[in-house]
Amino acid sequence: MLNWAELEHTCRSCQKCALAETRHNVVFGEGNREAEVMFIGEGPGEQEDLTGRPFVGRAGQFLDEMLSIIDLDRSQYFIGNMVKCRPPQNRDPLNVEMDACIGYLRNQVALIRPKIIVCLGRVAAIRLIREDFKITKEHGLWFEKAGTWMMAMYHPSALLRDPRKRPEAFEDLKTLQAKIREVCTHTYGQNVL
Ligand code: URA
């Protein structure tokens, strides 16, 4: 296992898959390195690729708004993606790309040791929770894996595309807040709902 500095350095010079050829920046992930909650999306989009920061485009702004409902902000959680470099035209990351990148994510999880991991969208859920995960049926449900609580929510881009899904996402947020209250010791996510 690498420490944060070694890991970040390794990621920034990574050439393990073809995404390295088209990226502008490696999106390493950011937030609280002692967080109890971690969010994992699919892969960087255009804004993320240009800035090197996760979830800063439209979907990211929408996610920030959603999480503010349960009083979570980026100083409290860590947020990253299944792949750290942008897939061209925002296509889903390929298995071969996720295979190349997952060791970095595992290393980040090992360093942070979060109590809760929230998958944003089906790509992360399929890879991290279960191969045949069905996001429409299983979003908001908890799965315990090696002592870590995992759940998936709809990806914020899906919620932007289809506002009819938002009430379900709101329920998932409440579920997340309840789990935070149950298993986390930091004093966050305690207000509002
Ligand atoms: N969508 C993702 O899945 N990740 C990002 O970082 C931005 C948009």
Side-chain angles (χ1 to χ4, degrees):
M1 184 168 98
L2 303 178
N3 67 30
W4 279 109
E6 292 162 345
L7 181 61
E8 189 157 358
H9 179 78
T10 306
C11 288
R12 296 212 181 279
S13 51
C14 182
Q15 298 286 335
K16 281 208 227 167
C17 82
L19 299 181
E21 287 157 33
T22 47
R23 74 174 176 231
H24 292 97
N25 285 292
V26 170
V27 180
F28 182 65
E30 67 181 33
N32 191 329
R33 293 180 173 185
E34 283 161 22
E36 291 177 298
V37 185
M38 217 172 150
F39 291 89
I40 302 176
E42 225 171 274
E46 185 181 24
Q47 292 307 312
E48 291 76 18
D49 177 55
L50 292 175
T51 58
R53 298 187 54 210
F55 283 96
V56 290
R58 236 180 121 224
Q61 286 162 24
F62 187 63
L63 179 67
D64 288 347
E65 282 170 36
M66 281 176 34
L67 295 181
S68 73
I69 296 173
I70 56 166
D71 246 19
L72 285 182
D73 66 48
R74 290 197 186 203
S75 69
Q76 294 161 319
Y77 54 82
F78 191 91
I79 186 161
N81 283 298
M82 292 308 301
V83 293
K84 294 186 173 5
C85 299
R86 184 189 183 200
Q89 280 90 45
N90 296 347
R91 63 160 168 74
D92 286 355
L94 305 175
N95 279 333
V96 63
E97 293 158 355
M98 290 193 279
D99 289 345
C101 213
I102 199 153
Y104 300 140
L105 184 61
R106 288 215 177 96
N107 200 145
Q108 288 176 316
V109 171
L111 287 167
I112 296 170
R113 293 188 294 121
K115 299 222 166 77
I116 296 173
I117 295 178
V118 180
C119 299
L120 297 170
R122 58 173 276 283
V123 169
I126 283 175
R127 191 59 201 242
L128 299 179
I129 299 179
R130 220 183 54 244
E131 212 174 14
D132 61 349
F133 191 89
K134 294 278 178 290
I135 190 85
T136 47
K137 289 203 185 116
E138 296 179 287
H139 67 89
L141 301 181
W142 290 102
F143 301 83
E144 198 186 353
K145 270 189 134 181
T148 307
W149 288 101
M150 309 200 49
M151 75 107 126
M153 297 180 52
Y154 284 120
H155 194 284
S157 304
L159 299 171
L160 285 172
R161 270 197 311 272
D162 184 0
R164 288 169 305 179
K165 291 193 170 83
R166 291 184 196 178
E168 291 170 76
F170 186 69
E171 290 306 310
D172 295 349
L173 279 178
K174 288 202 277 186
T175 305
L176 172 58
Q177 187 181 46
K179 186 58 89 184
I180 288 173
R181 285 180 175 155
E182 184 190 327
V183 304
C184 293
T185 54
H186 298 178
T187 54
Y188 54 43
Q190 304 290 322
N191 298 332
V192 187
L193 291 177

